Amino acid sequence: MDLSSPFKPTTHDLSFSSSFSPFSLQIQLKTRIPTRPKHQILAVAVDPQELPKTSPQRLLKELAERRKVISPKKKGPPKRFILKPPLDDAKLAQRFLNSPQMSLKAFPLLSSCLPSLRLNNADKTWIDEYLLEAKQALGYPLEPSDNYGDDNPAKQFDVLLYLAFQHPHYADCERVNARHVKSGHSRLIFLGQYVLELALAELFLQRYPRESPGPMRERVFGLIGKRYLPKWIKAASLQNLVFPYDNIDKLKRVEREPPAKSVFWALFGAIYLCFGMPEVYRVLFEVFGMDPEDEECQPKLRRQLEDVDYVSVEFEGRKLGWQDVATYKPPEDALFAHPRLFRACVPPGMHRFRGNIWDYDSRPQVMQALGYPLAMTDRIPEITEARNIELGLGLQLCFLHPSKHKFEHPRFCFERLEYLGQKIQDLVMAERLLMKHLDAPGKWLQERHRRLLLNKYCGKYLREKHFHRYIIYSEEVQDAYEHNRRLRNPATTAVQQAIHGLSYAVYGKRDVRRLMFEVFDFEQIQPKAV
């Protein structure tokens, strides 16, 4: 008998060959599957320093740590605040009375932007360490602002400057996340953006007296658009205060622009509150080094309409610089609160429309509805008469639609006054909301501001006074504008803003407040006639 048994360990095949068996017998043995142990061995956390750089565990752990820093999970409210009983009336009144926001009676707007609580030790530590660096970069005296008198708004500059640099993009910083700091910073942001817009609008209206608002808006964006703000922050050597833990040049745009924007806007809100608009110009063009003639902020090339009309004598043959605008003070016997701004928006050639049909039929009704002319104490009666004549011509320009004369006389329309009125309207409403809502954060104020000044509402308030009947259209488009609300509503909004621009140039900001909150009732709080 011949017995052979070839053994294959992998398949466990046993083959037997014999002389008396014509077939081969194949047996498959069942291998026992090992059972899983009861106690599982879990992954052990290993220090990434002990692993090689190409180890997957090390890379995964580093990725998890980075995610924690970049996008931390939102935490719920602390348990100690959930069931906290509300303050009784006496404690609530005492807290409001002790708030710094109630401390300044002479400067209500400045007082409303102070923090709601007194600064704590963490705030004072930052002030002691970094405030001198900020003041030196901005060109301010290094001594504490508390040395100023109570009648000087600059006494609060240190506090507001501290709030301006506490942007909410710090990573898990308790000092910045404190309610009085976070709210104070956001309120300064809310104010500062409109201060910058108005400052540059006034500058460019006087610097380029023949230019339409479109190119001027492009110039403004080229200077203070958010993509350019990190450049200005670095030019003023403030990057170490805005980005204390990062290199500004190595950050991405989405990481670099939001902190720069919030600090930049809040900074100019603080400067405007303490020193006024001339200081805003100084910091913009001296400290940050902005140049209106820079190539990056020039408008796009476009077909320009030929302007054959004169400009005022003070603009002829020269471009006004920021120093001319910042240091300008109107003479004592000036006709207007902002005479140069009025001349920049109302061309001298408007006198050719004096005595036309609109001047006789519509102007008296418009002036009566707006409460014009205001009572002014002038030494010479001729000054009052001249102001009223110019006011009437300005009102006619406010109602002069571009379809009438723009293609032959580009400045004989309301566009430049509309641009000015839009900016002063934004700032006046922002100041109103800040003084009215002392405990509201800037984000809420921004949404409230947007809802109150929606374009459809501005035109609606004008139409409620039936002023849309006095708008001067060309004969070709008059029927279309009067019967199509998609055309009519933007036109009435533009006239509304142009009236605010004229009011600011002639009588100043106080008259813009009167028109917005008394005549047109932007807040809709006055009783309606039944």
Side-chain angles (χ1 to χ4, degrees):
M1 183 173 85
D2 184 16
L3 180 63
S4 65
S5 59
F7 177 67
K8 297 179 182 178
T10 55
T11 59
H12 305 288
D13 292 338
L14 298 178
S15 178
F16 298 92
S17 299
S18 63
S19 58
F20 60 86
S21 177
F23 59 89
S24 63
L25 179 64
Q26 197 173 28
I27 303 174
Q28 292 185 354
L29 298 179
K30 293 183 179 178
T31 57
R32 184 179 179 184
I33 300 175
T35 58
R36 188 174 295 176
K38 295 182 179 179
H39 302 286
Q40 298 182 11
I41 300 175
L42 301 177
V44 180
V46 182
D47 187 3
Q49 299 296 334
E50 299 177 2
L51 295 170
K53 290 186 177 180
T54 57
S55 171
Q57 290 91 347
R58 177 190 177 119
L59 296 176
L60 289 173
K61 185 153 187 176
E62 287 181 355
L63 183 60
E65 292 295 331
R66 171 166 288 199
R67 281 179 178 169
K68 286 182 183 177
V69 175
I70 295 177
S71 58
K73 293 182 179 179
K74 292 185 178 180
K75 299 179 181 179
K79 293 182 180 179
R80 56 197 173 100
F81 290 142
I82 292 179
L83 298 177
K84 190 174 181 180
L87 291 175
D88 58 355
D89 294 342
K91 290 183 179 179
L92 189 62
Q94 194 63 32
R95 192 181 76 175
F96 272 107
L97 292 175
N98 292 337
S99 170
Q101 291 179 322
M102 305 294 288
S103 59
L104 302 178
K105 302 294 189 293
F107 308 107
L109 178 62
L110 171 61
S111 181
S112 69
C113 293
L114 293 175
S116 57
L117 299 174
R118 302 194 182 279
L119 299 184
N120 54 33
N121 291 332
D123 304 325
K124 293 177 181 176
T125 302
W126 192 97
I127 290 176
D128 295 339
E129 291 184 6
Y130 301 108
L131 196 68
L132 290 182
E133 182 181 349
K135 294 176 82 171
Q136 185 174 10
L138 294 171
Y140 290 107
L142 301 183
E143 59 265 11
S145 64
D146 293 337
N147 298 338
Y148 294 110
D150 292 337
D151 57 342
N152 192 340
K155 184 173 184 177
Q156 310 298 328
F157 184 59
D158 284 0
V159 176
L160 294 180
L161 191 60
Y162 162 71
L163 290 179
F165 281 96
Q166 308 312 305
H167 61 83
H169 304 279
Y170 281 107
D172 295 334
C173 182
E174 292 185 5
R175 171 178 51 79
V176 174
N177 290 330
R179 181 179 177 184
H180 66 287
V181 175
K182 195 172 182 179
S183 178
H185 178 78
S186 64
R187 289 167 72 88
L188 284 178
I189 293 175
F190 171 63
L191 177 65
Q193 58 180 322
Y194 301 118
V195 169
L196 285 169
E197 291 277 349
L198 178 63
L200 292 179
E202 289 189 24
L203 171 65
F204 288 142
L205 281 169
Q206 298 175 60
R207 184 177 176 86
Y208 305 103
R210 295 181 181 273
E211 200 167 74
S212 63
M216 282 191 281
R217 293 179 193 273
E218 293 178 14
R219 295 179 190 275
V220 171
F221 177 77
L223 287 179
I224 59 170
K226 68 176 182 179
R227 70 173 61 178
Y228 307 107
L229 297 184
K231 177 182 74 172
W232 303 126
I233 291 289
K234 188 176 180 181
S237 302
L238 295 173
Q239 70 271 16
N240 292 332
L241 297 176
V242 182
F243 304 99
Y245 310 116
D246 301 293
N247 186 349
I248 186 173
D249 296 321
K250 295 182 179 179
L251 292 174
K252 298 178 182 178
R253 274 188 61 186
V254 293
E255 299 170 346
R256 186 174 62 232
E257 288 176 0
K261 183 180 75 170
S262 60
V263 170
F264 194 84
W265 286 358
L267 184 61
F268 282 97
I271 292 172
Y272 171 74
L273 289 171
C274 293
F275 301 106
M277 197 64 86
E279 187 66 14
V280 170
Y281 288 114
R282 185 194 72 83
V283 176
L284 273 176
F285 296 101
E286 272 192 5
V287 177
F288 290 103
M290 294 186 180
D291 182 13
E293 297 299 325
D294 192 5
E295 299 250 347
E296 291 186 358
C297 67
Q298 297 309 307
K300 298 176 183 177
L301 293 176
R302 50 168 61 83
R303 184 176 64 89
Q304 296 286 345
L305 297 171
E306 184 182 3
D307 190 353
V308 298
D309 299 297
Y310 293 105
V311 295
S312 185
V313 178
E314 47 202 332
F315 307 120
E316 191 69 54
R318 71 186 187 113
K319 281 185 180 179
L320 297 182
W322 69 266
Q323 296 95 337
D324 300 319
V325 177
T327 60
Y328 177 73
K329 292 183 179 179
E332 294 183 1
D333 56 348
L335 295 181
F336 315 111
H338 302 278
R340 187 186 280 167
L341 201 56
F342 180 89
R343 298 297 177 199
C345 296
V346 181
M350 279 299 296
H351 278 273
R352 74 183 66 179
F353 297 106
R354 187 178 171 192
N356 62 3
I357 296 178
W358 194 95
D359 197 33
Y360 276 106
D361 289 349
S362 305
R363 181 183 59 81
Q365 302 178 50
V366 172
M367 294 186 72
Q368 183 179 3
L370 294 176
Y372 285 152
L374 299 183
M376 303 288 288
T377 56
D378 296 312
R379 294 183 296 106
I380 307 174
E382 285 77 8
I383 293 180
T384 307
E385 183 181 356
R387 181 190 300 111
N388 294 343
I389 292 173
E390 298 278 5
L391 176 64
L393 294 176
L395 279 175
Q396 185 163 350
L397 184 65
C398 290
F399 286 85
L400 204 55
H401 193 266
S403 62
K404 185 68 175 174
H405 298 295
K406 183 176 179 180
F407 291 102
E408 296 84 16
H409 305 278
R411 285 180 290 128
F412 285 3
C413 63
F414 54 57
E415 286 184 342
R416 289 171 67 88
L417 280 174
E418 175 200 0
Y419 179 49
L420 174 63
Q422 184 182 17
K423 304 309 175 186
I424 188 60
Q425 171 181 292
D426 286 340
L427 182 59
V428 166
M429 180 59 79
E431 294 178 356
R432 175 84 164 193
L433 291 176
L434 283 168
M435 290 187 287
K436 190 172 183 180
H437 305 282
L438 293 179
D439 57 341
K443 190 174 182 181
W444 184 90
L445 292 173
Q446 185 73 53
E447 182 64 19
R448 178 72 174 156
H449 183 279
R450 187 186 71 84
R451 291 176 180 273
L452 286 172
L453 293 184
L454 283 173
N455 283 344
K456 63 178 182 179
Y457 291 146
C458 295
K460 178 184 175 185
Y461 303 146
L462 185 91
R463 294 192 297 273
E464 285 178 353
K465 297 288 182 183
H466 306 291
F467 282 177
H468 57 285
R469 303 173 183 172
Y470 307 124
I471 300 178
I472 308 169
Y473 301 103
S474 70
E475 291 76 7
E476 292 83 3
V477 302
Q478 183 162 3
D479 288 342
Y481 273 89
E482 287 181 352
H483 297 96
N484 187 342
R485 62 182 179 84
R486 291 181 181 273
L487 296 174
R488 179 197 63 191
N489 292 0
T492 52
T493 299
V495 171
Q496 171 83 73
Q497 293 171 346
I499 291 174
H500 292 157
L502 178 70
S503 168
Y504 176 65
V506 175
Y507 291 112
K509 193 189 293 185
R510 62 184 180 89
D511 192 52
V512 181
R513 295 192 195 100
R514 182 186 69 86
L515 289 180
M516 288 179 64
F517 305 119
E518 295 179 19
V519 176
F520 293 108
D521 190 21
F522 268 61
E523 294 181 309
Q524 295 293 294
I525 56 177
Q526 295 184 6
K528 302 292 182 184
V530 180

